[in-house]
Amino acid sequence: MQESFGEKLKELRQEKNIGQIQLAKELGVGKSVISLWELNRCEPTLSNLVKIAEFFGVSIDYLAGLEKI
């Protein structure tokens, strides 16, 4: 089964060994937003998706589940 966006985000964050608060600061969003994304309760805007992809060095296609790393 394909990983959800939230699962990928959490995995990428843990691989980089950073907490939700630090990631929130890097992306300019609240910590609760990171939690909601990781729980798949809401999805990031396109501009935030671009920031996430750039921060982790992955493609938007990867985050969207369209390609593997």
Side-chain angles (χ1 to χ4, degrees), residues 33-50:
V33 173
I34 303 297
S35 179
L36 289 171
W37 290 343
E38 289 186 359
L39 294 170
N40 294 302
R41 298 234 171 116
C42 69
E43 295 178 348
T45 62
L46 180 57
S47 61
N48 281 328
L49 198 58
V50 170

Side-chain angles (χ1 to χ4, degrees), residues 2-41:
Q2 184 175 327
E3 279 184 302
S4 68
F5 168 78
E7 291 169 331
K8 288 179 182 178
L9 179 61
K10 185 174 184 177
E11 183 178 296
L12 288 167
R13 182 178 58 75
Q14 290 175 336
E15 285 175 4
K16 203 161 183 147
N17 202 27
I18 61 172
Q20 289 182 340
I21 293 171
Q22 184 179 350
L23 180 58
K25 287 179 183 176
E26 293 285 341
L27 301 177
V29 300
K31 184 255 180 210
S32 61
V33 173
I34 303 297
S35 179
L36 289 171
W37 290 343
E38 289 186 359
L39 294 170
N40 294 302
R41 298 234 171 116

